[in-house]
mmCIF file with all atom_site columns, all heavy atoms in Angstrom:
data_model
loop_
_atom_site.group_PDB
_atom_site.id
_atom_site.type_symbol
_atom_site.label_atom_id
_atom_site.label_alt_id
_atom_site.label_comp_id
_atom_site.label_asym_id
_atom_site.label_entity_id
_atom_site.label_seq_id
_atom_site.pdbx_PDB_ins_code
_atom_site.Cartn_x
_atom_site.Cartn_y
_atom_site.Cartn_z
_atom_site.occupancy
_atom_site.B_iso_or_equiv
_atom_site.pdbx_formal_charge
_atom_site.auth_seq_id
_atom_site.auth_comp_id
_atom_site.auth_asym_id
_atom_site.auth_atom_id
_atom_site.pdbx_PDB_model_num
ATOM 1   N N   . PHE A 1 16 ? 296.275 83.380 -216.635 1.00 0.00 ? 19 PHE A N   1
ATOM 2   C CA  . PHE A 1 16 ? 295.697 84.715 -216.740 1.00 0.00 ? 19 PHE A CA  1
ATOM 3   C C   . PHE A 1 16 ? 294.985 84.964 -218.066 1.00 0.00 ? 19 PHE A C   1
ATOM 4   O O   . PHE A 1 16 ? 293.988 85.672 -218.112 1.00 0.00 ? 19 PHE A O   1
ATOM 5   C CB  . PHE A 1 16 ? 296.784 85.783 -216.562 1.00 0.00 ? 19 PHE A CB  1
ATOM 6   C CG  . PHE A 1 16 ? 297.271 85.928 -215.160 1.00 0.00 ? 19 PHE A CG  1
ATOM 7   C CD1 . PHE A 1 16 ? 298.580 85.625 -214.837 1.00 0.00 ? 19 PHE A CD1 1
ATOM 8   C CD2 . PHE A 1 16 ? 296.435 86.393 -214.168 1.00 0.00 ? 19 PHE A CD2 1
ATOM 9   C CE1 . PHE A 1 16 ? 299.045 85.769 -213.544 1.00 0.00 ? 19 PHE A CE1 1
ATOM 10  C CE2 . PHE A 1 16 ? 296.880 86.543 -212.859 1.00 0.00 ? 19 PHE A CE2 1
ATOM 11  C CZ  . PHE A 1 16 ? 298.198 86.223 -212.549 1.00 0.00 ? 19 PHE A CZ  1
ATOM 12  N N   . VAL A 1 17 ? 295.520 84.429 -219.135 1.00 0.00 ? 20 VAL A N   1
ATOM 13  C CA  . VAL A 1 17 ? 295.022 84.741 -220.479 1.00 0.00 ? 20 VAL A CA  1
ATOM 14  C C   . VAL A 1 17 ? 293.780 83.906 -220.777 1.00 0.00 ? 20 VAL A C   1
ATOM 15  O O   . VAL A 1 17 ? 293.748 82.708 -220.515 1.00 0.00 ? 20 VAL A O   1
ATOM 16  C CB  . VAL A 1 17 ? 296.128 84.485 -221.525 1.00 0.00 ? 20 VAL A CB  1
ATOM 17  C CG1 . VAL A 1 17 ? 295.650 84.828 -222.907 1.00 0.00 ? 20 VAL A CG1 1
ATOM 18  C CG2 . VAL A 1 17 ? 297.372 85.272 -221.184 1.00 0.00 ? 20 VAL A CG2 1
ATOM 19  N N   . LYS A 1 18 ? 292.785 84.537 -221.345 1.00 0.00 ? 21 LYS A N   1
ATOM 20  C CA  . LYS A 1 18 ? 291.511 83.860 -221.626 1.00 0.00 ? 21 LYS A CA  1
ATOM 21  C C   . LYS A 1 18 ? 291.094 84.050 -223.083 1.00 0.00 ? 21 LYS A C   1
ATOM 22  O O   . LYS A 1 18 ? 291.525 84.980 -223.752 1.00 0.00 ? 21 LYS A O   1
ATOM 23  C CB  . LYS A 1 18 ? 290.397 84.438 -220.725 1.00 0.00 ? 21 LYS A CB  1
ATOM 24  C CG  . LYS A 1 18 ? 290.694 84.408 -219.249 1.00 0.00 ? 21 LYS A CG  1
ATOM 25  C CD  . LYS A 1 18 ? 290.713 83.007 -218.700 1.00 0.00 ? 21 LYS A CD  1
ATOM 26  C CE  . LYS A 1 18 ? 290.907 83.055 -217.189 1.00 0.00 ? 21 LYS A CE  1
ATOM 27  N NZ  . LYS A 1 18 ? 291.776 82.047 -216.683 1.00 0.00 ? 21 LYS A NZ  1
ATOM 28  N N   . GLY A 1 19 ? 290.238 83.157 -223.543 1.00 0.00 ? 22 GLY A N   1
ATOM 29  C CA  . GLY A 1 19 ? 289.606 83.278 -224.854 1.00 0.00 ? 22 GLY A CA  1
ATOM 30  C C   . GLY A 1 19 ? 290.580 83.314 -226.012 1.00 0.00 ? 22 GLY A C   1
ATOM 31  O O   . GLY A 1 19 ? 291.528 82.532 -226.079 1.00 0.00 ? 22 GLY A O   1
ATOM 32  N N   . GLU A 1 20 ? 290.309 84.231 -226.942 1.00 0.00 ? 23 GLU A N   1
ATOM 33  C CA  . GLU A 1 20 ? 291.133 84.340 -228.146 1.00 0.00 ? 23 GLU A CA  1
ATOM 34  C C   . GLU A 1 20 ? 292.583 84.681 -227.804 1.00 0.00 ? 23 GLU A C   1
ATOM 35  O O   . GLU A 1 20 ? 293.511 84.223 -228.463 1.00 0.00 ? 23 GLU A O   1
ATOM 36  C CB  . GLU A 1 20 ? 290.553 85.397 -229.085 1.00 0.00 ? 23 GLU A CB  1
ATOM 37  C CG  . GLU A 1 20 ? 291.286 85.480 -230.400 1.00 0.00 ? 23 GLU A CG  1
ATOM 38  C CD  . GLU A 1 20 ? 290.704 86.521 -231.337 1.00 0.00 ? 23 GLU A CD  1
ATOM 39  O OE1 . GLU A 1 20 ? 289.520 86.879 -231.194 1.00 0.00 ? 23 GLU A OE1 1
ATOM 40  O OE2 . GLU A 1 20 ? 291.458 86.970 -232.218 1.00 0.00 ? 23 GLU A OE2 1
ATOM 41  N N   . ALA A 1 21 ? 292.759 85.487 -226.779 1.00 0.00 ? 24 ALA A N   1
ATOM 42  C CA  . ALA A 1 21 ? 294.121 85.849 -226.365 1.00 0.00 ? 24 ALA A CA  1
ATOM 43  C C   . ALA A 1 21 ? 294.900 84.612 -225.930 1.00 0.00 ? 24 ALA A C   1
ATOM 44  O O   . ALA A 1 21 ? 296.104 84.503 -226.188 1.00 0.00 ? 24 ALA A O   1
ATOM 45  C CB  . ALA A 1 21 ? 294.082 86.879 -225.240 1.00 0.00 ? 24 ALA A CB  1
ATOM 46  N N   . LYS A 1 22 ? 294.223 83.665 -225.291 1.00 0.00 ? 25 LYS A N   1
ATOM 47  C CA  . LYS A 1 22 ? 294.898 82.434 -224.869 1.00 0.00 ? 25 LYS A CA  1
ATOM 48  C C   . LYS A 1 22 ? 295.333 81.632 -226.088 1.00 0.00 ? 25 LYS A C   1
ATOM 49  O O   . LYS A 1 22 ? 296.435 81.081 -226.121 1.00 0.00 ? 25 LYS A O   1
ATOM 50  C CB  . LYS A 1 22 ? 294.012 81.592 -223.962 1.00 0.00 ? 25 LYS A CB  1
ATOM 51  C CG  . LYS A 1 22 ? 294.735 80.392 -223.387 1.00 0.00 ? 25 LYS A CG  1
ATOM 52  C CD  . LYS A 1 22 ? 293.984 79.790 -222.240 1.00 0.00 ? 25 LYS A CD  1
ATOM 53  C CE  . LYS A 1 22 ? 294.902 78.831 -221.513 1.00 0.00 ? 25 LYS A CE  1
ATOM 54  N NZ  . LYS A 1 22 ? 294.461 78.584 -220.152 1.00 0.00 ? 25 LYS A NZ  1
ATOM 55  N N   . GLU A 1 23 ? 294.470 81.567 -227.086 1.00 0.00 ? 26 GLU A N   1
ATOM 56  C CA  . GLU A 1 23 ? 294.836 80.868 -228.330 1.00 0.00 ? 26 GLU A CA  1
ATOM 57  C C   . GLU A 1 23 ? 296.054 81.527 -228.962 1.00 0.00 ? 26 GLU A C   1
ATOM 58  O O   . GLU A 1 23 ? 296.962 80.842 -229.440 1.00 0.00 ? 26 GLU A O   1
ATOM 59  C CB  . GLU A 1 23 ? 293.655 80.875 -229.301 1.00 0.00 ? 26 GLU A CB  1
ATOM 60  C CG  . GLU A 1 23 ? 292.486 80.016 -228.862 1.00 0.00 ? 26 GLU A CG  1
ATOM 61  C CD  . GLU A 1 23 ? 291.298 80.139 -229.800 1.00 0.00 ? 26 GLU A CD  1
ATOM 62  O OE1 . GLU A 1 23 ? 291.485 80.442 -230.993 1.00 0.00 ? 26 GLU A OE1 1
ATOM 63  O OE2 . GLU A 1 23 ? 290.165 79.937 -229.314 1.00 0.00 ? 26 GLU A OE2 1
ATOM 64  N N   . LYS A 1 24 ? 296.071 82.850 -228.981 1.00 0.00 ? 27 LYS A N   1
ATOM 65  C CA  . LYS A 1 24 ? 297.217 83.583 -229.541 1.00 0.00 ? 27 LYS A CA  1
ATOM 66  C C   . LYS A 1 24 ? 298.483 83.317 -228.719 1.00 0.00 ? 27 LYS A C   1
ATOM 67  O O   . LYS A 1 24 ? 299.558 83.160 -229.274 1.00 0.00 ? 27 LYS A O   1
ATOM 68  C CB  . LYS A 1 24 ? 296.934 85.088 -229.585 1.00 0.00 ? 27 LYS A CB  1
ATOM 69  C CG  . LYS A 1 24 ? 295.801 85.485 -230.474 1.00 0.00 ? 27 LYS A CG  1
ATOM 70  C CD  . LYS A 1 24 ? 296.211 85.449 -231.908 1.00 0.00 ? 27 LYS A CD  1
ATOM 71  C CE  . LYS A 1 24 ? 295.091 85.992 -232.774 1.00 0.00 ? 27 LYS A CE  1
ATOM 72  N NZ  . LYS A 1 24 ? 295.367 85.812 -234.186 1.00 0.00 ? 27 LYS A NZ  1
ATOM 73  N N   . PHE A 1 25 ? 298.338 83.291 -227.402 1.00 0.00 ? 28 PHE A N   1
ATOM 74  C CA  . PHE A 1 25 ? 299.491 83.003 -226.550 1.00 0.00 ? 28 PHE A CA  1
ATOM 75  C C   . PHE A 1 25 ? 300.030 81.602 -226.831 1.00 0.00 ? 28 PHE A C   1
ATOM 76  O O   . PHE A 1 25 ? 301.243 81.418 -226.973 1.00 0.00 ? 28 PHE A O   1
ATOM 77  C CB  . PHE A 1 25 ? 299.143 83.147 -225.065 1.00 0.00 ? 28 PHE A CB  1
ATOM 78  C CG  . PHE A 1 25 ? 300.234 82.619 -224.169 1.00 0.00 ? 28 PHE A CG  1
ATOM 79  C CD1 . PHE A 1 25 ? 301.446 83.283 -224.077 1.00 0.00 ? 28 PHE A CD1 1
ATOM 80  C CD2 . PHE A 1 25 ? 300.056 81.452 -223.449 1.00 0.00 ? 28 PHE A CD2 1
ATOM 81  C CE1 . PHE A 1 25 ? 302.471 82.782 -223.277 1.00 0.00 ? 28 PHE A CE1 1
ATOM 82  C CE2 . PHE A 1 25 ? 301.063 80.953 -222.648 1.00 0.00 ? 28 PHE A CE2 1
ATOM 83  C CZ  . PHE A 1 25 ? 302.273 81.614 -222.561 1.00 0.00 ? 28 PHE A CZ  1
ATOM 84  N N   . LEU A 1 26 ? 299.155 80.621 -226.899 1.00 0.00 ? 29 LEU A N   1
ATOM 85  C CA  . LEU A 1 26 ? 299.596 79.248 -227.152 1.00 0.00 ? 29 LEU A CA  1
ATOM 86  C C   . LEU A 1 26 ? 300.271 79.132 -228.511 1.00 0.00 ? 29 LEU A C   1
ATOM 87  O O   . LEU A 1 26 ? 301.287 78.444 -228.658 1.00 0.00 ? 29 LEU A O   1
ATOM 88  C CB  . LEU A 1 26 ? 298.417 78.280 -227.032 1.00 0.00 ? 29 LEU A CB  1
ATOM 89  C CG  . LEU A 1 26 ? 297.820 78.152 -225.627 1.00 0.00 ? 29 LEU A CG  1
ATOM 90  C CD1 . LEU A 1 26 ? 296.572 77.281 -225.659 1.00 0.00 ? 29 LEU A CD1 1
ATOM 91  C CD2 . LEU A 1 26 ? 298.841 77.625 -224.633 1.00 0.00 ? 29 LEU A CD2 1
ATOM 92  N N   . SER A 1 27 ? 299.741 79.828 -229.502 1.00 0.00 ? 30 SER A N   1
ATOM 93  C CA  . SER A 1 27 ? 300.348 79.839 -230.826 1.00 0.00 ? 30 SER A CA  1
ATOM 94  C C   . SER A 1 27 ? 301.715 80.521 -230.787 1.00 0.00 ? 30 SER A C   1
ATOM 95  O O   . SER A 1 27 ? 302.687 80.032 -231.379 1.00 0.00 ? 30 SER A O   1
ATOM 96  C CB  . SER A 1 27 ? 299.424 80.569 -231.804 1.00 0.00 ? 30 SER A CB  1
ATOM 97  O OG  . SER A 1 27 ? 300.023 80.689 -233.064 1.00 0.00 ? 30 SER A OG  1
ATOM 98  N N   . SER A 1 28 ? 301.782 81.626 -230.079 1.00 0.00 ? 31 SER A N   1
ATOM 99  C CA  . SER A 1 28 ? 303.042 82.346 -229.928 1.00 0.00 ? 31 SER A CA  1
ATOM 100 C C   . SER A 1 28 ? 304.080 81.479 -229.225 1.00 0.00 ? 31 SER A C   1
ATOM 101 O O   . SER A 1 28 ? 305.246 81.423 -229.629 1.00 0.00 ? 31 SER A O   1
ATOM 102 C CB  . SER A 1 28 ? 302.800 83.634 -229.137 1.00 0.00 ? 31 SER A CB  1
ATOM 103 O OG  . SER A 1 28 ? 304.013 84.226 -228.768 1.00 0.00 ? 31 SER A OG  1
ATOM 104 N N   . GLN A 1 29 ? 303.661 80.798 -228.182 1.00 0.00 ? 32 GLN A N   1
ATOM 105 C CA  . GLN A 1 29 ? 304.581 79.953 -227.433 1.00 0.00 ? 32 GLN A CA  1
ATOM 106 C C   . GLN A 1 29 ? 305.076 78.797 -228.294 1.00 0.00 ? 32 GLN A C   1
ATOM 107 O O   . GLN A 1 29 ? 306.262 78.454 -228.265 1.00 0.00 ? 32 GLN A O   1
ATOM 108 C CB  . GLN A 1 29 ? 303.914 79.424 -226.160 1.00 0.00 ? 32 GLN A CB  1
ATOM 109 C CG  . GLN A 1 29 ? 304.836 78.641 -225.265 1.00 0.00 ? 32 GLN A CG  1
ATOM 110 C CD  . GLN A 1 29 ? 306.037 79.427 -224.776 1.00 0.00 ? 32 GLN A CD  1
ATOM 111 O OE1 . GLN A 1 29 ? 305.972 80.636 -224.587 1.00 0.00 ? 32 GLN A OE1 1
ATOM 112 N NE2 . GLN A 1 29 ? 307.150 78.754 -224.572 1.00 0.00 ? 32 GLN A NE2 1
ATOM 113 N N   . ALA A 1 30 ? 304.193 78.206 -229.078 1.00 0.00 ? 33 ALA A N   1
ATOM 114 C CA  . ALA A 1 30 ? 304.594 77.116 -229.976 1.00 0.00 ? 33 ALA A CA  1
ATOM 115 C C   . ALA A 1 30 ? 305.613 77.610 -230.997 1.00 0.00 ? 33 ALA A C   1
ATOM 116 O O   . ALA A 1 30 ? 306.605 76.927 -231.287 1.00 0.00 ? 33 ALA A O   1
ATOM 117 C CB  . ALA A 1 30 ? 303.370 76.522 -230.668 1.00 0.00 ? 33 ALA A CB  1
#
Side-chain angles (χ1 to χ4, degrees):
F19 287 115
V20 181
K21 305 291 184 220
E23 185 180 337
K25 186 165 194 159
E26 291 176 27
K27 297 283 186 188
F28 170 69
L29 294 174
S30 175
S31 169
Q32 185 60 32

